[in-house]
Amino acid sequence: MFNFDTTYLDLPDRCYARLEPTPVARPELIAFNLDLARELGVDPDDWSADALATMFSGNAMPAGATPLAMAYAGHQFGSFVPQLGDGRALLLGEVVDRAGRRRDIQLKGAGITPFSRGGDGRAALGPVLREYLLSEAMHALGIPTTRALAAVLTGEPVMRDTALPGAVLTRVAASHVRVGTFQYFAARRDTEALQRLADHVIARHYPAAARAEAPSVALVEAVVDAQARLVARWLEVGFIHGVMNTDNMSVAGETIDYGPCAFMDAYAPGTVFSSIDRRGRYAYMNQPPIAAWNLARFAETLLPLVDADPEAAVARLTEVVSGFAGRFEHHWLAGMRAKLGLGTGRAEDAALVQGFLDLLQAAAADYTLSFRALCDAVEEPAAATEGELHRLLGDTPGYADWLEQWRARLDGEPRSGRGRATAMRAVNPLFIPRNHLVEGALAAALERSDFAPFERLLTVLGRPFDAQPDAADLAAAPPPSDTPYRTFCGT
Ligand code: AMP
Ligand code: MG
């Protein structure tokens, strides 16, 4: 099925544990990503649903697979845990895809590993479908992310608060190396493994760093920039990761680990959805400083590779990590300018962006719909006085002034009219995986074994920027509710 070429096996064997998945009772394929399969060089026509279910449940390994659980550590809500690791995931191997990119193929929920720490090694159907939907939606939004290749029911219950149907997700990633992977070896003062891991990551993700005068410094710089870009994109679409522990931060700069993540409806910078994030450590607006904090932890692990003199090493990497804020600001402002329809940059733009966000916050307006309504307003000026934008923000103090500033700023731009609206609609999605829709699709699957809402949502979210008249119900904001939305870790 795959042409495996697994370079992770070249790392010292203390980086992972080799083992087979634990078989399941009655595997049943519930979702398979045909486009992604083709990208990976698989012709889906060659495989029956049963064969796919057998392989992607872990009941039989595709030829050439060398399943392994990766070792990693991590800071969870600020506290260091020296050993986490793949407690329920197994890397089947790496493949080079049709575009020449190396990808990891991993089963999540494949049984107990040496890193399971009392867990059952399994995953429940709800969180598997949730990750499938959310990660594919992020991909369609153009945001770096792990992907979902398959979801398989195991035919076995998993015990959580109640018994739930068990499932296995097949996840595809640029790699599964995390900040926490480096921390695992730093905590053990295993400089040899750190050097090998750094070389692996550089060769795989940041080859230019190999030619730098100090490759490990260049590596930190590259990861800082990748994360600054990524978190900027999250904020632009209203995404809240929810559990930005260092073990959930990919050094390749992809969004990874879709446990309690969720998209914000009404704009509120302090939004927190995760039930375990009681202090709001991972709130929407805290994501940039938390990313910087995690990157400082990453940089610390590389100190011994940077300079024999610890003070000199700290000074060098501190400077690199402190560059995060500026890089984030740069990427974020570029993205927000595009959302407002600006193709050029001016000094006053940051204030114009903030002005709009202040309006959204004051009105508790829907983040996604408000930006989308701006697209209509550039095409049809009356939309600002009687259309959707007016409905969302018209009564908010400062609206008219802001509109005037925005129009004046747009007048100074070379692009105009229809072209501008088209460009704006390509960066302001109409469809996001809204919480009430995701919950509805999961409930239908769990309560009635009805996967049609999941499939419909997945299809519509695959084209988030396109108007899809049949799917107007999936674009709408949720009905008002008195109870704040809560998410739970998908364990
Ligand atoms: P997460 O919260 O999914 O990022 O996982 C944190 C740690 O707990 C990782 O080491 C996981 O492998 C482990 N873990 C999560 N769920 C389970 C489970 N059901 N069985 C074993 N280990 C788990
Ligand atoms: Mg994790």
Side-chain angles (χ1 to χ4, degrees):
M1 160 156 275
F2 297 110
N3 257 324
F4 284 114
D5 172 32
T6 305
T7 57
Y8 212 73
L9 291 169
D10 302 337
L11 290 170
D13 56 16
R14 52 197 186 278
C15 294
Y16 53 83
R18 287 283 318 270
L19 75 157
E20 298 287 316
T22 308
V24 304
R26 284 184 312 283
E28 186 190 333
L29 188 70
I30 49 178
F32 189 64
N33 193 332
L34 296 172
D35 290 341
L36 180 58
R38 290 191 191 99
E39 242 179 80
L40 296 171
V42 175
D43 183 350
D45 296 336
D46 292 349
W47 305 90
S48 68
D50 278 351
L52 295 173
T54 305
M55 252 180 296
F56 295 118
S57 61
N59 274 13
M61 286 290 86
T66 48
L68 62 88
M70 291 165 66
Y72 56 85
H75 276 91
Q76 299 190 311
F77 289 90
S79 308
F80 186 63
V81 183
Q83 176 158 325
L84 291 166
D86 287 333
R88 55 171 168 164
L90 288 175
L91 177 73
L92 298 188
E94 299 161 24
V95 299
V96 176
D97 72 12
R98 287 194 168 159
R101 291 168 302 186
R102 181 172 291 279
R103 320 274 289 262
D104 272 8
I105 298 176
Q106 192 202 59
L107 300 185
K108 190 169 170 182
I112 287 176
T113 79
F115 304 108
S116 295
R117 296 177 304 147
D120 61 2
R122 293 302 188 189
L125 176 61
V128 163
L129 293 180
R130 199 160 195 287
E131 171 154 355
Y132 201 116
L133 271 177
L134 272 286
S135 63
E136 287 303 303
M138 288 290 269
H139 171 71
L141 287 165
I143 299 176
T145 176
T146 64
R147 305 278 312 268
L149 178 64
V152 177
L153 275 168
T154 61
E156 293 173 5
V158 294
M159 283 311 295
R160 297 297 180 254
D161 287 340
T162 57
L164 298 168
V168 178
L169 178 79
T170 303
R171 174 160 78 177
V172 176
S175 84
H176 284 86
V177 180
R178 306 140 191 273
V179 168
T181 318
F182 283 84
Q183 289 182 292
Y184 180 89
F185 296 104
R188 287 159 180 76
R189 304 193 184 289
D190 186 345
T191 308
E192 190 220 338
L194 279 169
Q195 183 70 63
R196 299 276 298 277
L197 190 61
D199 292 344
H200 173 88
V201 169
I202 288 172
R204 193 162 172 179
H205 302 298
Y206 305 108
R211 299 185 292 275
E213 162 265 318
S216 38
V217 176
L219 170 62
V220 177
E221 207 162 354
V223 177
V224 164
D225 193 59
Q227 284 294 334
R229 270 175 206 279
L230 179 68
V231 176
R233 302 298 320 276
W234 288 356
L235 263 55
E236 286 158 33
V237 297
F239 177 79
I240 302 166
H241 182 283
V243 61
M244 288 176 72
N245 294 333
T246 55
D247 52 305
N248 293 337
M249 184 183 260
S250 152
V251 297
E254 286 184 335
T255 313
I256 189 169
D257 276 17
Y258 286 81
C261 68
F263 280 70
M264 180 169 67
D265 294 300
Y267 180 71
T271 304
V272 178
F273 290 122
S274 171
S275 55
I276 57 167
D277 189 4
R278 292 200 187 84
R279 295 189 182 171
R281 178 181 172 90
Y282 301 135
Y284 175 75
M285 264 308 176
N286 271 355
Q287 296 184 111
I290 284 291
W293 191 89
N294 289 350
L295 290 163
R297 307 288 79 75
F298 176 55
E300 279 166 7
T301 69
L302 293 174
L303 289 171
L305 309 187
V306 168
D307 202 308
D309 170 9
E311 275 180 35
V314 168
R316 257 191 110 168
L317 290 185
T318 303
E319 196 193 327
V320 174
V321 173
S322 64
F324 177 87
R327 284 174 197 258
F328 168 78
E329 200 58 31
H330 168 81
H331 294 304
W332 179 79
L333 191 53
M336 296 307 280
R337 275 194 180 110
K339 284 174 82 74
L340 289 187
L342 303 175
T344 62
R346 289 213 199 143
E348 70 266 25
D349 294 345
L352 191 69
V353 171
Q354 193 54 51
F356 189 61
L357 294 175
D358 290 345
L359 287 177
L360 299 193
Q361 189 176 354
D366 186 84
Y367 181 80
T368 303
L369 293 181
S370 297
F371 276 99
R372 191 74 180 187
L374 281 181
C375 312
D376 303 333
V378 294
E379 204 167 39
E380 189 51 71
T385 47
E386 53 203 37
E388 176 79 349
L389 191 63
H390 186 260
R391 186 186 68 76
L392 289 161
L393 298 171
D395 295 335
T396 312
Y399 173 65
D401 288 346
W402 184 85
L403 214 53
E404 201 173 303
Q405 285 168 30
W406 178 54
R407 291 238 156 91
R409 175 68 183 80
L410 287 175
D411 283 343
E413 287 267 307
R415 199 170 51 190
S416 67
R418 183 66 52 79
R420 175 180 292 145
T422 305
M424 286 173 73
R425 289 194 184 103
V427 293
N428 289 305
L430 180 56
F431 298 99
I432 55 162
R434 292 185 183 272
N435 305 316
H436 68 291
L437 302 174
V438 174
E439 293 301 328
L442 265 47
L446 287 163
E447 291 160 19
R448 306 191 294 281
S449 296
D450 176 5
F451 291 90
F454 165 80
E455 279 156 21
R456 176 171 181 244
L457 191 53
L458 187 64
T459 305
V460 170
L461 291 172
R463 290 164 49 214
F465 301 106
D466 296 350
Q468 301 175 57
D470 300 348
D473 57 315
L474 302 185
S481 159
D482 297 334
T483 41
Y485 182 68
R486 285 276 163 270
T487 58
F488 302 90
C489 269
T491 52

